[in-house]
Structures are given as C-alpha cells and as structure tokens.
C-alpha cells in the first residue's frame, strides 16, 4: 500500500481521542477545523507552546493519512525550548494513488515520478492555509515550515512560493520564511522552477537567502531516494544556495532520532536559537 505517513522511533500514540487525553499542558487546540477560500475543510490544529523565550514559530506538516496530533507529540520531544510548533491536520480527500480512497492529504497525488502531474489547486490551498496559520505571529519571531513525506512536499512548495512571491495562482505569498525542513519528501513543480526564478531578480534574491534542509533515506521504498536527491539538485540549480541535502544510509520511509537531532542542530544554528543545545 502506498503510504506517506510518518513512522518514528519516538513514542507515538494512535487514535485522536486517546492522544487528546494524554496531551500535556503545553498543547493547545486551535479548533476542530477551518475552511479556506478555496473550500477545503482542514482538520484540527495542535500547538506546542515554547517552554522558554519565544524566538521562532514553525508549522510542521504530517504525511499522508496522518494528523496534526501525532506531529505535536514528536515536536514536543525535540530539544527546542524557544520554538512554538503549529501542527495542522490536512483535509480529508480522495487520493489517486490509493485508488480514490479518502484520507487526510495536503493535495492529491498519483504516482511519484518525473512525469507526474502536480495538483496545483490542492498545493495552493494547503500552502495558503499554512501561511494563514503563520500570519498572526509577532513580527520579531522568525517563522518556518517543515514536514515529512507529503508534508515535506508542501514545505518545499511553500519555499518556492516564498521565493517567487506568489502562489501558483498568481496571488501574493505573504510570509517571510526563514527556514524550511523537508524529510523524505519531494519538490512539486521542480521542472519549471529554475526558469521562473531566473526571470526575477527579487525571486533569485529570496531563493538565495532561504535556508533549507532536506533529508532522505537511501532505502526509502515509498518516496525513492532519487526523488529527494533530485529535489535538492533542482533547488540548487534554481538558486537556492542555502539548500542542504543529508542522506541517511539504509533508512526507509520513517524518521529516526539521529535525523531529528540533525534537524534540531540545523534549526538552532540557522535561526540563532538560545538554550537549545
């Protein structure tokens, strides 16, 4: 079965009701869901409050069929006391790769291939929802986006929207991203990205200024390693000079503590976070 949800060696919980009962005081639900301008019904959003000085806010995006509640548990376990985590839940929608089966998905996806079709409407709807979640953050707080698998794809797509200054629809992208994390994912729209960035001095400037980290397991049998590697290469060729690619030998389609420690170190360095080591 085609599976793009996140597995991890950290303690996880199955079942939203059970998880809500076990949430710590630092979690806050932002409501049962919201509908954005394009009519997509997003699920519940969970927030992990910073334990120290609030220096950064990151949205973390789950994989296919997962939800924001499980993401919040993983984020709370990271040694980043000055980061606020916002963990939304994707809309329920039919997914082509699952034969039309309905589950939580940030956009529709078929076969992941170099000739695959990108669901631009779904990508823009989710990117817009995520930007809206970050729009109310204080001006002195740095903001970023990260995710796993399909969540990583949306994170990288948001990075391209930031660089271009607009969504695929042409509407202005409103968020000043300072960091993007993509684990075991891929870059939608990679074929045309370079041409779009090279057409604009401002887009090239923004692309060059945005720190991005991509990680991928060499034994990933869901999103093959070559797509992670190709995504990093495409970003570099398009002018994302601070895009870093980290392979993990023998790792499948899941996360491990060593990988998450790498993300913690990278965010601490790139965002200049205090007290995170």
């Amino acid at each position: 079965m085609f599976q793009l949800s996140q597995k991890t060696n950290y303690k996880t919980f199955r079942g939203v009701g059970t998880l809500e009962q076990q949430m710590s005081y630092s979690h806050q639900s932002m409501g049962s869901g919201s509908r954005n301008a394009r009519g997509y019904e997003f699920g519940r959003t969970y927030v992990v409050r910073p334990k120290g000085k609030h220096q950064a806010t990151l949205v973390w995006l789950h994989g296919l069929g997962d939800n924001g509640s499980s993401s919040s548990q993983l984020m709370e376990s990271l040694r980043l006391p000055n980061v606020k985590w916002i963990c939304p839940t994707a809309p329920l929608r039919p997914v082509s790769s699952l034969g039309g089966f309905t589950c939580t998905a940030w956009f529709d996806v078929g076969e992941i291939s170099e000739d695959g079709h990108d669901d631009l409407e779904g990508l823009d709807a989710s990117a817009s929802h995520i930007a809206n979640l970050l729009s109310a953050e204080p001006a002195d707080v740095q903001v970023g986006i990260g995710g796993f698998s399909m969540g990583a794809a949306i994170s990288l797509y948001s990075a391209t929207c930031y660089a271009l200054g607009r969504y695929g629809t042409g509407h202005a992208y409103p968020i000043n991203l300072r960091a993007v994390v993509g684990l075991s994912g891929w870059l939608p729209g990679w074929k045309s990205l370079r041409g779009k960035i090279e057409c604009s001095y401002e887009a090239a400037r923004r692309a060059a200024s945005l720190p991005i980290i991509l990680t991928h397991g060499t034994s990933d049998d869901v999103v093959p390693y070559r797509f992670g590697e190709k995504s990093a290469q495409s970003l570099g060729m398009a002018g994302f000079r601070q895009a870093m690619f980290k392979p993990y030998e023998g790792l499948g389609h899941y996360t491990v503590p060593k990988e998450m420690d790498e993300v913690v170190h990278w965010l601490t360095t790139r965002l200049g976070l205090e007290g995170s080591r």
Side-chain angles (χ1 to χ4, degrees), residues 241-255:
R241 299 175 186 173
Q242 297 189 58
M244 168 187 170
F245 182 66
K246 175 77 172 181
Y248 281 85
E249 188 67 32
L251 182 66
H253 197 66
Y254 50 88
T255 59

Side-chain angles (χ1 to χ4, degrees), residues 111-130:
E111 180 184 3
I112 300 177
S113 69
E114 294 186 0
D115 298 318
H117 169 73
D118 291 318
D119 173 21
L120 292 179
E121 181 182 4
L123 286 162
D124 273 353
S126 289
S128 176
H129 179 70
I130 294 157

Side-chain angles (χ1 to χ4, degrees), residues 171-192:
H171 292 96
Y173 185 79
I175 302 301
N176 183 25
L177 293 179
R178 301 317 312 146
V180 172
V181 180
L183 312 183
S184 304
W186 72 98
L187 173 64
W190 64 270
K191 284 186 176 180
S192 60

Side-chain angles (χ1 to χ4, degrees), residues 13 37 75 138 142 150 159 209 244:
F13 298 90
M75 295 305 105
Q142 301 177 89
M150 178 179 272
S209 71
M244 168 187 170

Side-chain angles (χ1 to χ4, degrees), residues 69 80 134 145 179 182 220:
S69 55
L80 290 168
L134 289 170
I145 305 173
D220 193 327

